[in-house]
Each structure stands twice: as C-alpha cells, then as structure tokens.
Amino acid sequence: RSICEAAGVSDAQAEELIDKSGGNTKTAIVMGITKLNKDEANQILEECDGNIRTVIHKLGIPYVDN
C-alpha cells in the first residue's frame, strides 16, 4: 500500500514495481515516480543517501507534502 500512495500507482502496478525492484520498497517507489529502471533508481537513491524526497528534489519532480 505504501508504494501505491507514494508513487500514485494501482495495486497491480505496485506489485509489478516491487517485483522489478527485487523487493526493495524505496527502489520501487522511485521507479514508480520517475519511470527509471531498477539500476537507474538504485543509482540515484545511492547519490541521495537513500532519501526519496532528495531524489524528487534532485530530479525537479513536483512534490506535495501531505
């Protein structure tokens, strides 16, 4: 459910993302938000010390903090 909410995807899409990410929730969220592949998502997460908000900011993606 956290992937659905964070990435704005359906349950089915979230399941696909978690499979493609190798079970890594943060990677799956970044993949869902950015449309990057697993390796690209992992790379930018590493560059941003695993912080998804930093990834969003670095990529210039509009973000709404609820």
Side-chain angles (χ1 to χ4, degrees):
R1 174 109 2 237
S2 62
I3 295 170
C4 297
E5 293 174 11
V9 298
S10 69
D11 288 342
Q13 290 169 315
E15 285 187 38
E16 183 177 341
L17 287 168
I18 202 70
D19 288 342
K20 288 182 177 180
S21 72
N24 186 301
T25 301
K26 285 188 176 187
T27 301
I29 291 169
V30 171
M31 289 170 66
I33 292 170
T34 64
K35 310 306 181 214
L36 296 173
N37 67 36
K38 177 184 172 183
D39 292 336
E40 294 165 332
N42 282 330
Q43 177 64 39
I44 196 152
L45 274 166
E46 185 176 318
E47 292 170 11
C48 295
D49 297 321
N51 188 301
I52 295 172
R53 285 187 186 188
T54 304
V55 170
I56 291 167
H57 178 74
K58 181 174 183 166
L59 296 177
I61 298 168
Y63 174 75
V64 176
D65 189 9
N66 293 331

